[in-house]
Amino acid sequence: MYEKDFFSKATIKIPGGIKTVFPKTKNQANLIHCMRNSSLVFASGPAGSGKTFLIVAEALSQLLSQKKKSLVLTRPVVEAGESLGFLPGDFEQKINPYLRPLFDSLESLLPREFLRKMLESGIIEIAPLAYMRGRTLSDSIIILDEAQNTTPEQMKMFLTRMGCDAKFIVTGDASQIDLPNRKDSGLLKGIELTKNIKGIKTITFRNEDIVRHPLVAKIVKAFDKGSEE
């Protein structure tokens, strides 16, 4: 009965949203409960485990239930084998591919016209991590995605933007670090340095949490095994 309640109470209902979201694994349900009860949550794990989608869904639920006044989604811009300077277009056009996964999650959860109005009004904001510098973010939910590609300095900068009644969620995949030295990942450093601070939660997803196409879990496992050889 406890486990059934644990899952059912983690159901995400988004006012005005397209669909209700249900967690499929215990770690997914735990992530939702932590988002509701903690001011800072780290969610680390492999691609396809539903981290970003669930986090965006729960953030929209809290925003549209008027528990928070705004939602900010951000990512670091790290060039994984392709230079921004060689991409066509102005800065906004160059930056869009990095932020596109966040738009994909939003568009799968909200009607397009409703989402457009929220973006235009600034209630929902999507911006590169560098745009967070100097700000104090209060009474809002702030999501840092792809945090494995932040430096420790960027992670400190981001976490210290926390204002009153803010909720910060940090997500990333330690197996996809695109920094020159993986030991310099702000995600790894942030989890390590804050692990004993009360009120901060860390959820670590595993391969068994992968909920995309069944082949994705097998692909991740094969690459993990190959990197160890």
Side-chain angles (χ1 to χ4, degrees):
M1 180 62 69
Y2 168 77
E3 186 162 326
K4 184 178 179 180
D5 287 344
F6 182 75
F7 274 86
S8 64
K9 290 181 179 178
T11 298
I12 303 171
K13 297 181 180 179
I14 304 170
I18 295 173
K19 55 190 173 185
T20 300
V21 177
F22 302 91
K24 296 181 179 180
T25 72
K26 189 172 182 178
N27 275 333
Q28 288 189 352
N30 196 21
L31 172 62
I32 301 309
H33 287 297
C34 286
M35 280 188 67
R36 293 172 181 173
N37 298 303
S38 301
S39 296
L40 173 57
V41 179
F42 288 94
S44 174
S49 53
K51 305 182 303 297
T52 299
F53 178 77
L54 286 170
I55 289 168
V56 170
E58 176 59 23
L60 287 173
S61 177
Q62 294 189 29
L63 174 68
L64 295 171
S65 298
Q66 299 184 342
K67 295 176 181 177
K68 299 296 177 187
K69 69 176 184 181
S70 64
L71 168 60
V72 180
L73 303 101
T74 186
R75 275 185 163 203
V77 175
V78 175
E79 300 170 14
E82 185 174 21
S83 173
L84 277 173
F86 291 100
L87 294 176
D90 57 21
F91 178 75
E92 184 173 347
Q93 291 171 319
K94 290 178 180 182
I95 212 73
N96 274 341
Y98 290 90
L99 303 177
R100 185 68 242 177
L102 297 174
F103 280 104
D104 289 344
S105 293
L106 290 168
E107 288 176 347
S108 69
L109 292 164
L110 292 179
R112 183 163 294 184
E113 184 61 22
F114 186 23
L115 174 59
R116 184 185 65 80
K117 290 180 180 179
M118 298 193 75
L119 288 166
E120 289 179 351
S121 67
I123 295 174
I124 297 177
E125 176 187 354
I126 305 178
L129 180 58
Y131 285 26
M132 300 300 107
R133 188 174 299 277
R135 300 176 64 177
T136 299
L137 300 162
S138 302
D139 196 21
S140 303
I141 300 180
I142 302 89
I143 298 171
L144 171 57
D145 195 32
E146 297 291 332
Q148 75 274 4
N149 289 326
T150 63
T151 64
E153 292 77 16
Q154 287 175 319
M155 181 60 71
K156 179 182 177 182
M157 179 275 290
F158 173 74
L159 295 179
T160 54
R161 302 305 93 202
M162 186 180 292
C164 295
D165 296 319
K167 190 178 293 288
F168 275 45
I169 316 298
V170 179
T171 180
D173 178 1
S175 71
Q176 297 191 44
I177 296 173
D178 295 319
L179 300 172
N181 186 345
R182 63 177 287 109
K183 293 181 180 179
D184 292 334
S185 171
L187 175 66
L188 301 180
K189 185 67 71 173
I191 291 173
E192 175 63 25
L193 294 178
T194 63
K195 63 183 181 181
N196 295 320
I197 299 178
K198 187 177 180 180
I200 299 176
K201 299 293 185 181
T202 297
I203 308 298
T204 303
F205 287 80
R206 308 295 181 188
N207 288 350
E208 53 265 30
D209 294 304
I210 294 175
V211 293
R212 287 183 186 165
H213 192 286
L215 283 177
V216 173
K218 296 179 181 179
I219 292 168
V220 170
K221 185 176 181 179
F223 272 82
D224 287 346
K225 184 178 179 181
S227 65
E228 295 170 359
E229 295 177 351

